[in-house]
Amino acid sequence: LWSDGEPHDLNDYKFTTEWVLDPDNTGLWPGTDGWNLIDRFDVSEDGLSATVHYCTGFTGFLGNWNYPPLPEHYMSQIPVADAAEMSYPVGPSLVDAPVNGPFKYASASPSAIELVRNDNWVSPWTGEPAYLDRVVYRFFDGSKDAMIAAFLAGELDLATNLQQGDYTAIASVDPSIGEVRIKPAWEYEHFDFNQSNAEPGKGHPALSDPNVRFALAHAIDKDELYEVVWPGVPAPEFEPCAPVAPGLYYRTEEGLTCIEYDPEKSVQLLDESGWVDSDGDGLRDKDGISLSFTHCTTGAGYRVAAGDYLASKFRDLGVEIINTAAPETIFSGWNEAGPDAECNLTRGNYDTTEFAWVSGLDLFGSTYTVYHSDWIPREENSGGGANFVRLRDDRMDGILDTLFGATDQAEAVALAHEFQAVHTEVQPEVVLYYRSNVRGLNSDLQNYFQNPGTASDMWNIGDWYLES
């Protein structure tokens, strides 16, 4: 049952599919996730089983069912075209919205949301409702420091939304109050090469040369970079190599050749490609173009520090990167950015960049639209896709085309391993380090298990309890 007592079954999933595909639903783009490949959804009379038919093999079908279903009895009363403005309420009236988890809304204000036990939900492990009577989410008006102070004072049972840079701030917590946990996340930070082969600032021609990409990769001491960016923060135990974060079932260590720190190799590769300092200005050049790259980031402190470190390493090679912070435009969409937006990834207005990819359980969603050449943002696809490095590689496309239709998970995993091997051979990006999530855990909170993904740490919140 939903929290309001209405039946909750697979008809809600069928409704959700139809809602996503409705032509009036202009805010969503179902093609990427394969919703548009569903041509039949047959639900049994009792609503407890269903057959979903896809018009073609689609390896990302599991990704479709990672989404929570919409309550048909509630959402069907709202025109799809008006859903963005009229669906789930914001503010005190949030308590009227049905939910299907262990807790339901009790009150909402700018400083907190209070939830109470939803007796229409039972744990799949215990068969019982949630242990806790209530859960309160506190907000700190954008001040992470205030949240950390509240945790250190013992006012919070759990402090979330913390990353590597916050570790040292809570590591000193009194053991009688709680502990700090730092665990690998399904994310990795990377240094990217725009291979548009256009012009400096919009895909420097040198970056389409694999020798140049490998030269820059060999010039990065990843251990040293991590210590510079995250001083005093434990580093993940895995060597940063594959574009799949540790802990995911489709990651492999076999057959991967990690790029080692070797500045002499960097010099050799640049020399072989004819990039030399012909005029004595300290920068290598070729055909009248210098190895000077516009390096774009969000401007976050740790990325600025990484950019400064990379600039110093590359300068020794006769290569320049111009660090440019563009938090307003770097991730803007195709139409929002415009063709000349500074440092925009979608438009390809950059040479190199650094940001993080978030991986998930759906290996299709973590690979296909990021590395297939069909998903290079351009006019023909209205800027869709996330192949920001403009990678065009026949081997990669072939693997991903086969992966698209691989419904057998063992075959899909084998193809993911091939994808990782080609990635290391092509080097469209340098995996700098794997990210970690940091959590502050009060000693009274029991049965908490940290989620390596970004969805939520509350996946088993119905089984949490307090012990004091």
Side-chain angles (χ1 to χ4, degrees):
L1 302 178
W2 290 93
S3 58
D4 58 5
E6 292 293 323
H8 173 23
D9 56 28
L10 286 166
N11 284 299
D12 292 305
Y13 278 95
K14 179 179 181 179
F15 170 79
T16 302
T17 302
E18 295 169 346
W19 186 87
V20 169
L21 295 173
D22 193 296
D24 288 336
N25 199 339
T26 56
L28 294 179
W29 184 39
T32 302
D33 294 314
W35 294 94
N36 61 328
L37 302 178
I38 299 172
D39 62 1
R40 196 172 70 247
F41 198 127
D42 300 326
V43 180
S44 64
E45 187 174 348
D46 63 7
L48 301 182
S49 63
T51 299
V52 183
H53 185 267
Y54 286 76
C55 61
T56 186
F58 177 55
T59 196
F61 71 93
L62 290 174
N64 293 140
W65 316 118
N66 271 337
Y67 296 91
L70 299 173
E72 180 179 12
H73 69 283
Y74 180 86
M75 291 295 294
S76 61
Q77 302 177 54
I78 302 170
V80 172
D82 300 329
E85 289 77 28
M86 297 176 57
S87 55
Y88 271 67
V90 176
S93 58
L94 188 67
V95 298
D96 298 325
V99 297
N100 65 348
F103 299 93
K104 59 185 179 181
Y105 300 112
S107 65
S109 72
S111 61
I113 291 180
E114 181 182 7
L115 301 98
V116 295
R117 182 187 295 113
N118 173 18
D119 290 325
N120 285 323
W121 176 92
V122 296
S123 166
W125 295 283
T126 68
E128 300 291 334
Y131 291 147
L132 295 173
D133 295 319
R134 67 177 191 141
V135 175
V136 178
Y137 288 85
R138 285 180 57 185
F139 305 104
F140 293 87
D141 195 26
S143 174
K144 189 178 291 187
D145 290 342
M147 180 183 72
I148 290 173
F151 168 72
L152 294 175
E155 299 172 8
L156 301 179
D157 296 300
L158 183 66
T160 64
N161 195 30
L162 300 170
Q163 296 179 332
Q164 271 123 322
D166 304 304
Y167 174 81
T168 55
I170 65 171
S172 61
V173 63
D174 189 317
S176 65
I177 290 177
E179 63 177 292
V180 56
R181 292 185 181 179
I182 180 168
K183 293 182 178 294
W186 289 339
E187 303 177 44
Y188 67 94
E189 195 80 8
H190 49 92
F191 177 73
D192 289 14
F193 308 111
N194 182 352
Q195 300 174 52
S196 294
N197 194 23
E199 61 183 85
K202 296 187 176 182
H204 195 293
L207 297 175
S208 61
D209 181 348
N211 271 9
V212 174
R213 299 197 300 274
F214 275 89
L216 296 181
H218 280 295
I220 303 172
D221 184 336
K222 297 179 182 179
D223 292 336
E224 186 177 62
L225 179 144
Y226 188 90
E227 292 174 1
V228 168
V229 176
W230 304 116
V233 180
E237 59 181 298
F238 296 91
E239 182 179 5
C241 181
V244 180
L248 284 162
Y249 68 96
Y250 50 93
R251 175 188 168 86
T252 182
E253 299 284 343
E254 298 179 7
L256 295 182
T257 303
C258 294
I259 303 300
E260 302 296 337
Y261 175 56
D262 187 350
E264 292 182 1
K265 182 70 171 178
S266 298
V267 171
Q268 176 190 336
L269 290 170
L270 292 174
D271 287 345
E272 288 178 358
S273 289
W275 292 96
V276 297
D277 183 5
S278 64
D279 54 13
D281 66 351
L283 288 182
R284 292 174 180 263
D285 59 86
K286 180 181 176 181
D287 300 329
I289 301 176
S290 297
L291 283 185
S292 178
F293 305 127
T294 300
H295 180 64
C296 300
T297 70
T298 60
Y302 60 94
R303 290 186 177 130
V304 172
D308 291 341
Y309 171 83
L310 294 172
S312 68
K313 285 292 184 180
F314 296 161
R315 191 177 300 115
D316 294 338
L317 296 177
V319 178
E320 176 185 52
I321 64 170
I322 302 171
N323 289 307
T324 308
E328 301 298 325
T329 58
I330 188 167
F331 295 126
S332 297
W334 183 266
N335 293 325
E336 180 185 1
D340 297 317
E342 180 185 37
C343 276
N344 182 251
L345 301 184
T346 303
R347 288 285 183 173
N349 295 338
Y350 75 99
D351 293 319
T352 61
T353 185
E354 180 195 338
F355 63 99
W357 279 128
V358 177
S359 301
L361 286 171
D362 176 18
L363 69 86
F364 172 82
S366 298
T367 57
Y368 191 85
T369 61
V370 179
Y371 299 103
H372 197 290
S373 62
D374 284 351
W375 291 93
I376 295 173
R378 56 193 185 278
E379 291 285 355
E380 292 77 9
N381 60 17
S382 301
N387 187 347
F388 300 139
V389 295
R390 273 65 183 171
L391 175 64
R392 296 181 183 274
D393 186 89
D394 291 341
R395 291 175 302 165
M396 183 69 83
D397 283 355
I399 291 169
L400 295 177
D401 284 337
T402 305
L403 175 66
F404 186 98
T407 54
D408 178 84
Q409 289 300 290
E411 180 187 0
V413 168
L415 289 164
H417 294 175
E418 291 184 34
F419 147 76
Q420 291 173 72
V422 171
H423 183 281
T424 60
E425 294 175 17
V426 176
Q427 206 67 198
E429 62 190 2
V430 180
V431 180
L432 296 176
Y433 56 86
Y434 297 117
R435 299 279 290 268
S436 296
N437 286 332
V438 175
R439 298 290 182 260
L441 183 66
N442 191 287
S443 55
D444 291 343
L445 183 60
Q446 306 298 315
N447 256 354
Y448 166 80
F449 297 97
Q450 189 167 325
N451 184 354
T454 58
S456 173
D457 281 349
M458 284 67 180
W459 64 275
N460 75 323
I461 194 172
D463 300 314
W464 294 4
Y465 64 92
L466 296 174
E467 185 178 79
S468 59

